[in-house]
Amino acid sequence: MILNNNGNIVTVGVGDLKVAQSPKVIKTSLGSCVGVVLYDNIQKVGGMLHLMLPNCNDREGKPGKYADTGIPLLLDLMVNKAKSKKNVLTAKIFGGAKMFSVNSEVFDIGKSNITETQKILGNLGIRIIASRVGGTKGHQISLDTQTGIVQSRIFGEKTEQY
Amino acid sequence: MQISKEHLKILDIIVKISMDSASRSFSKTIKHAALIELVKTDLVDISEITEEMNNDFREMVASILRLEGSLNGKLMFMIPLDGALMLQDFYLQDEPGTAKEFDEFTEGTVQEIGNILASAIGNSFAAGFGSMLLPTPPQVLCDFAGSIFGQLIFEESMDNDKILLTETKFKLRNTEIDCYFFLLPDLNTLEESLDKYEKASDTDSL
């Protein structure tokens, strides 16, 4: 695989979450998974979660895999580790595609991921200020922690800024 | 997810033999040498392996199949989009550079290569384990490397943080094109098959 060795780029894998401060760029690739970006414009700190399922349902394993355990954990990292104030945090969400044209719950998990993510962020009082979700193709996103801008590229489409 | 070191070693040997056979079938099909650069079998963390994949910015074409029989699993052949066009020219015996953009011929080529590799792997595993393994019809995806790989491991990652993965990298001779073949064996059926294999080997050595 081609690796990007630029030290300023932080990559997030499935079921993982990372927090970084300017001048870092945080990026990931999504399919049916949803990418949640939290940003603190005062401290120039950003966090990204790559969740794959809406609910933990008492499953063991990485909390970052699930919306209901991963989003509170990302918020906790931003507030308690990065010392961001909760009321300055904003959210942007991406991904949640239906990658396979098969009539199966497993392959339409993207829609459930989007719905649950919106619900949890709402319950936590975090405002979603931008989103690009759904569709049938993969998604590459990168957050510039200096500006809070997310470059969003859907396969076959041009890159857009959010 | 558990697998013993001994079983991992046996699997690694069987995979290497299988890939050798698969690379011969692959080369014969496209009438061009496909050289194995790497064969790796390991229990990998889903976040770490996908982080590596998400660093690959390339657009890829992939053919995903399931193996069904006494050993279940998933297989994926993945090649960069420009490589798929070159592969199409090799396969259809056209002049290099004939295929310009992804179309149904490219999709058909990648599907066919996926089928051929899966059959070669299935045959090698079946010979090793003395059982029948059949590949399902392939499904083709054209997308970012990370997005495709995420879908390949999705089901296995739902209940496990680590997955058993074999990765093979091929290089098409005299080109800059590299392509990848992944195998995700189902651990339950794999353990049963490896146990049978070990018992059969012990009996043979008596």
Side-chain angles (χ1 to χ4, degrees):
Chain A
M1 295 282 116
I2 294 172
L3 291 178
N4 190 323
N5 290 317
N6 185 335
N8 273 341
I9 295 183
V10 177
T11 310
V12 185
V14 169
D16 204 4
L17 64 169
K18 288 188 179 160
V19 172
Q21 192 159 25
S22 172
K24 302 270 185 191
V25 170
I26 315 175
K27 61 180 278 293
T28 197
S29 290
L30 306 157
S32 59
C33 296
V34 162
V36 180
V37 173
L38 293 186
Y39 185 65
D40 170 357
N41 190 40
I42 309 293
Q43 292 202 87
K44 309 288 180 199
V45 173
M48 188 182 287
L49 165 70
H50 185 141
L51 66 92
M52 58 177 290
L53 289 168
N55 305 108
C56 170
N57 290 332
D58 295 326
R59 288 188 184 96
E60 290 182 352
K62 294 173 187 284
K65 287 202 288 194
Y66 317 103
D68 61 348
T69 50
I71 296 172
L73 184 59
L74 179 64
L75 178 62
D76 182 62
L77 281 177
M78 292 290 291
V79 172
N80 294 318
K81 286 267 168 67
K83 304 294 176 196
S84 292
K85 289 192 173 129
K86 190 182 162 189
N87 60 358
V88 304
L89 293 176
T90 53
K92 297 178 184 178
I93 62 171
F94 302 88
K98 187 179 180 183
M99 298 284 284
F100 290 98
S101 56
V102 178
N103 193 16
S104 151
E105 198 185 326
V106 169
F107 294 120
D108 197 15
I109 203 77
K111 197 176 168 184
S112 310
N113 284 336
I114 296 163
T115 309
E116 195 64 18
T117 297
Q118 289 167 333
K119 192 179 107 189
I120 292 166
L121 285 168
N123 289 344
L124 291 169
I126 307 289
R127 199 160 50 99
I128 300 173
I129 58 167
S131 64
R132 195 184 190 189
V133 292
T136 57
K137 286 291 181 185
H139 217 129
Q140 283 181 344
I141 56 167
S142 60
L143 164 69
D144 181 343
T145 53
Q146 176 59 31
T147 60
I149 291 172
V150 178
Q151 301 267 0
S152 153
R153 183 175 167 227
I154 289 178
F155 184 84
E157 297 181 23
K158 63 177 184 179
T159 303
E160 293 192 9
Q161 292 191 344
Y162 288 84
Chain B
M1 184 176 272
Q2 296 290 320
I3 185 165
S4 70
K5 280 185 182 171
E6 278 307 306
H7 278 179
L8 208 55
K9 269 187 206 165
I10 297 171
L11 180 66
D12 190 48
I13 292 165
I14 295 173
V15 167
K16 279 177 179 153
I17 294 167
S18 305
M19 288 306 162
D20 192 46
S21 153
S23 80
R24 281 200 299 271
S25 300
F26 186 19
S27 301
K28 203 171 155 189
T29 304
I30 61 170
K31 296 174 181 64
H32 194 97
L35 311 166
I36 297 175
E37 285 206 333
L38 166 87
V39 185
K40 200 166 64 176
T41 302
D42 215 347
L43 205 54
V44 293
D45 180 277
I46 56 164
S47 299
E48 287 170 15
I49 189 75
T50 50
E51 188 180 317
E52 190 183 322
M53 286 290 166
N54 288 345
N55 267 318
D56 190 329
F57 303 126
R58 289 177 296 176
E59 296 178 343
M60 299 278 196
V61 189
S63 175
I64 300 179
L65 310 92
R66 284 179 190 276
L67 264 187
E68 291 174 352
S70 54
L71 170 67
N72 297 328
K74 268 197 272 186
L75 304 156
M76 179 169 84
F77 170 68
M78 185 164 79
I79 185 165
L81 195 51
D82 53 348
L85 299 175
M86 196 179 277
L87 198 64
Q88 180 186 331
D89 289 339
F90 287 146
Y91 184 57
L92 299 176
Q93 296 185 57
D94 286 336
E95 285 293 310
T98 304
K100 302 280 186 213
E101 58 185 36
F102 182 85
D103 59 16
E104 64 270 28
F105 293 108
T106 326
E107 185 171 328
T109 302
V110 174
Q111 241 172 357
E112 192 54 25
I113 301 299
N115 254 335
I116 286 158
L117 288 172
S119 300
I121 304 285
N123 286 342
S124 298
F125 269 69
F129 294 135
S131 54
M132 184 183 277
L133 296 172
L134 293 172
T136 60
Q139 191 160 19
V140 174
L141 281 179
C142 186
D143 217 308
F144 301 123
S147 305
I148 292 173
F149 190 77
Q151 291 312 117
L152 174 74
I153 65 159
F154 189 87
E155 284 171 81
E156 289 71 19
S157 305
M158 285 169 72
D159 295 311
N160 301 292
D161 288 349
K162 289 196 171 201
I163 53 167
L164 183 62
L165 181 77
T166 81
E167 177 187 351
T168 307
K169 183 180 175 187
F170 296 100
K171 189 104 186 168
L172 301 184
R173 198 183 64 187
N174 297 332
T175 75
E176 289 304 309
I177 302 300
D178 48 9
C179 44
Y180 304 86
F181 190 79
F182 298 98
L183 168 67
L184 267 97
D186 163 66
L187 213 66
N188 293 326
T189 50
L190 176 69
E191 289 279 18
E192 284 170 26
S193 298
L194 287 169
D195 280 339
K196 278 186 202 165
Y197 179 82
E198 267 188 323
K199 278 175 194 161
S201 303
D202 290 346
T203 311
D204 288 346
S205 61
L206 288 177

